[in-house]
Amino acid sequence: MRRRLAVVAVAVAVAGGGVLWLVQTKQVAPVQPVERMAVRATGTSIVLRHRGVRRAEITADRVEVSANRRFTVFTGRTRAMFFDGDTPAAEVRGAHIVLDRARRTVRVDGGLTLVTARGDRLTALAATWDQDAHLIELVGQVTGASTPPSPAGGSQEIPVGFGRLRADRIRYDTRAHLIVASGHVQLEAGEVRMSADVLRVDTRAQVATAEGTVSVRRRESTLVAPVVRYEFRTDQATATGGAVFRRPDATVRSPEMHFDLRHEVTTASGGVEVEQADGLLTASSLRYEATSGDVIAEGGISLTRPGVKLTGRRLLANLPARRADVRGEVVLVRSPGPPPSPSDRVLSALAKEETTITAGRIVFRWEANEAEAEDRVEVRQRDKTAWADRMTYSEPANRLVLIGRVVLEQTSGEWLVREGLVAPPRDPRDQQALASVTRLTCTRLTMTLRERDITADGPLTVTQKERWVLGDRATYTEATRVLVVTGNVRMRDADGQRLRADRVVISLDHETFEAEGDVQTEFVVRSLAPSPTPTARPTPTPR
């Protein structure tokens, strides 16, 4: 009879609020007069239900019920199983479990282990389960780990666990299967190391979302962003809010980035910057393959490095090779360099000017500072403009080569007067020479970048005002503005006189020339009107 009363007392003490806990006891210990303790039992199993739906089941070696019937304490080998409907959602084992009837909570102390339905394992010093919110909150030295469960039903898809998790506090939603970690969060999943202020892990969808100051490390790569979403099954991650991705060879900055960690592919959008030790790349969007070092950038391309700036619509680059292929209205601007002769005022002034190259496509090797251009190539300098089918540029070799249908226009020298480099000419012929434009056509033209000297090959033509010169080869020296034409030279001056020679030296400033070697000339002879015959005077009659 005494044993029956004890069982009934336990059932009454823990019942209430629409919740029924069923108690099964293997052995009832004798009732001891303990303060605040009404009932004590051993080997007990309790089922907690709400409106007929099972919420939890707790077993322990010993059970004690407080005198006010608010608390039930489980000690010894304790285990609490929590359910989502009839499906087990989590299991908690600890040294000490307390049921609070007033707050409708379950608290586990003394070092505990929580195992989710997926097999995720969490440990902590204490945990609290909120019956109404379906939340389990773990505190104190919280860690977590999981292993992939075996596939069910022959499925080939094996969900990957979230790895090892550490935090100051972890909350687990048994209904949504959601883990929320906060405070010094550390996550290890395979090769991925993540730290954050808050981490949410959907154990069903296998998705983790980190917030706060998020840092993700994998091998030699590091990602820092305010928000990072990571999918464990596909090894995909998305960073938003302004992300910075660092590798040993480059740093990428963008408002939003997506990472395929399995294939080491990074895509960025919303305005991207790629910084290397010797250059900066900006674009609207970018795709970067870490294994090959290939980069594809679209929209508003700008590649800047010391002495050179390259812009265009689309860029294909390889970072290890330091090679970029830019297409679509490409512009390469070479910054001014030191003058070849500081004592020459004209060359010093020209050295301060930029060289601008435009084309439909430019291949640029920024480590060697060399480029190749094609498709509507145009080269502009302060005093000249050139057009060609193709172009090669080499800063170490100090040269720019135009190939194909080459046209070069040497602009007037009036800028020399404006810059105060020469005195304004007084003679009308000198004024006309200074204002005239010289045009050269050939099949290959080589220009030195610093001296601005020119060498032209192929059948060439040089015209200035009404004069023209034909030849096989020509050289032009910028410092003296002297043009030398060789090889089957033919020349016509402003007066229509023609000349043939092996070599002709022309001064563009003074409009003079010298011819050498088998010189032949043709002069224009102007006919003169005949003078009227004078009337003969009569011979005076001698005296």
Side-chain angles (χ1 to χ4, degrees):
M1 184 66 178
R2 184 176 182 179
R3 175 174 176 175
R4 182 178 179 183
L5 290 175
V7 175
V8 173
V10 172
V12 172
V14 299
V19 178
L20 174 63
W21 288 352
L22 301 180
V23 180
Q24 297 178 355
T25 175
K26 299 180 181 178
Q27 181 180 358
V28 179
V31 178
Q32 300 292 336
V34 181
E35 183 181 2
R36 294 185 181 181
M37 193 61 60
V39 180
R40 178 177 298 163
T42 61
T44 304
S45 176
I46 296 178
V47 177
L48 174 63
R49 296 180 183 274
H50 178 64
R51 296 179 181 178
V53 179
R54 182 169 50 173
R55 290 286 187 85
E57 180 179 343
I58 304 174
T59 60
D61 292 339
R62 293 178 299 278
V63 178
E64 296 178 347
V65 182
S66 65
N68 60 3
R69 298 183 299 176
R70 174 178 176 178
F71 299 101
T72 302
V73 180
F74 299 82
T75 56
R77 291 175 298 177
T78 61
R79 181 178 71 93
M81 179 68 73
F82 303 100
F83 295 87
D84 179 15
D86 290 332
T87 304
E91 176 184 319
V92 179
R93 295 180 181 271
H96 188 258
I97 299 178
V98 179
L99 305 179
D100 188 336
R101 173 177 171 270
R103 295 185 177 180
R104 300 172 58 81
T105 60
V106 176
R107 179 176 177 83
V108 185
D109 296 299
L112 62 94
T113 300
L114 182 148
V115 180
T116 68
R118 289 192 59 264
D120 303 321
R121 184 178 298 272
L122 303 171
T123 63
L125 296 180
T128 302
W129 178 57
D130 188 325
Q131 301 178 40
D132 297 327
H134 297 269
L135 291 176
I136 301 177
E137 185 173 5
L138 294 85
V139 295
Q141 301 179 10
V142 184
T143 62
S146 67
T147 56
S150 300
S155 173
Q156 298 301 316
E157 181 180 359
I158 302 178
V160 178
F162 60 79
R164 300 183 60 85
L165 176 64
R166 296 181 178 88
D168 295 339
R169 184 180 300 271
I170 293 180
R171 302 178 68 186
Y172 177 57
D173 189 330
T174 59
R175 175 175 294 177
H177 296 268
L178 178 66
I179 296 176
V180 180
S182 59
H184 303 91
V185 180
Q186 300 289 330
L187 172 65
E188 298 179 7
E191 296 181 333
V192 177
R193 302 291 184 271
M194 178 187 294
S195 62
D197 297 332
V198 178
L199 176 66
R200 293 176 173 83
V201 180
D202 188 332
T203 61
R204 282 180 173 174
Q206 285 293 281
V207 175
T209 302
E211 299 177 356
T213 306
V214 185
S215 175
V216 183
R217 299 183 303 276
R218 187 176 188 269
R219 297 180 184 174
E220 296 180 335
S221 303
T222 302
L223 169 67
V224 179
V227 179
V228 176
R229 184 178 185 273
Y230 177 62
E231 299 180 6
F232 296 98
R233 287 193 180 97
T234 60
D235 225 8
Q236 306 279 328
T238 301
T240 57
V244 180
F245 180 57
R246 291 185 175 90
R247 285 183 54 85
D249 56 347
T251 299
V252 183
R253 295 180 175 87
S254 177
E256 181 174 342
M257 294 187 194
H258 181 76
F259 304 89
D260 183 343
L261 299 177
R262 190 170 300 171
H263 301 94
E264 298 189 62
V265 177
T266 302
T267 56
S269 59
V272 189
E273 289 186 359
V274 180
E275 182 179 356
Q276 288 189 297
D278 54 355
L280 175 66
L281 169 65
T282 61
S284 298
S285 62
L286 178 142
R287 174 185 170 91
Y288 171 52
E289 298 181 5
T291 54
S292 62
D294 291 335
V295 174
I296 301 176
E298 305 277 356
I301 304 301
S302 176
L303 176 61
T304 305
R305 69 172 311 279
V308 174
K309 182 176 181 180
L310 187 63
T311 60
R313 293 182 179 177
R314 190 169 190 265
L315 175 142
L316 307 173
N318 184 270
L319 298 184
R322 301 291 198 273
R323 180 183 182 274
D325 186 343
V326 185
R327 305 183 183 187
E329 299 181 3
V330 189
V331 179
L332 187 151
V333 179
R334 175 185 177 270
S335 301
S341 176
S343 59
D344 193 312
R345 296 177 60 196
V346 175
L347 292 181
S348 298
L350 289 173
K352 297 178 182 179
E353 302 297 327
E354 297 178 338
T355 300
T356 302
I357 302 169
T358 62
R361 177 190 180 192
I362 292 181
V363 177
F364 179 58
R365 293 178 293 276
W366 62 84
E367 187 174 33
N369 211 353
E370 296 179 340
E372 299 174 1
E374 62 182 24
D375 187 15
R376 307 183 309 278
V377 179
E378 179 179 299
V379 180
R380 288 185 178 273
Q381 293 179 337
R382 172 69 179 267
D383 58 332
K384 60 178 66 71
T385 302
W387 298 267
D389 296 331
R390 301 184 306 280
M391 179 221 70
T392 61
Y393 152 78
S394 175
E395 190 69 34
N398 186 36
R399 68 168 179 262
L400 187 150
V401 181
L402 299 172
I403 305 169
R405 295 168 295 179
V406 182
V407 178
L408 172 67
E409 287 189 356
Q410 176 79 31
T411 59
S412 69
E414 294 178 344
W415 69 274
L416 298 171
V417 178
R418 292 194 302 268
E419 296 290 337
L421 300 175
V422 298
R426 297 181 179 180
D427 186 90
R429 292 177 60 87
D430 293 340
Q431 294 176 0
Q432 293 179 0
L434 193 66
S436 62
V437 176
T438 303
R439 181 182 178 91
L440 181 148
T441 61
C442 61
T443 58
R444 181 184 178 90
L445 184 144
T446 303
M447 178 190 306
T448 59
L449 297 171
R450 291 186 289 273
E451 298 83 3
R452 310 285 180 107
D453 295 340
I454 295 173
T455 300
D457 296 298
L460 59 90
T461 303
V462 181
T463 59
Q464 185 187 46
K465 295 193 302 183
E466 298 179 359
R467 299 183 302 177
W468 54 260
V469 179
L470 306 179
D472 296 332
R473 182 180 176 86
T475 59
Y476 171 76
T477 304
E478 180 67 41
T480 59
R481 287 177 60 85
V482 171
L483 177 67
V484 178
V485 184
T486 58
N488 193 27
V489 182
R490 289 170 291 171
M491 179 176 173
R492 178 186 182 279
D493 64 9
D495 295 331
Q497 301 184 30
R498 298 176 182 270
L499 178 145
R500 291 177 180 268
D502 295 332
R503 182 172 184 268
V504 173
V505 180
I506 304 172
S507 174
L508 301 181
D509 285 342
H510 301 92
E511 288 194 313
T512 61
F513 73 90
E514 297 178 3
E516 301 175 356
D518 194 18
V519 179
Q520 301 178 24
T521 58
E522 298 179 5
F523 295 98
V524 177
V525 178
R526 294 184 175 84
S527 60
L528 300 177
S531 300
T533 302
T535 303
R537 291 183 179 182
T539 302
T541 303
R543 291 180 181 180

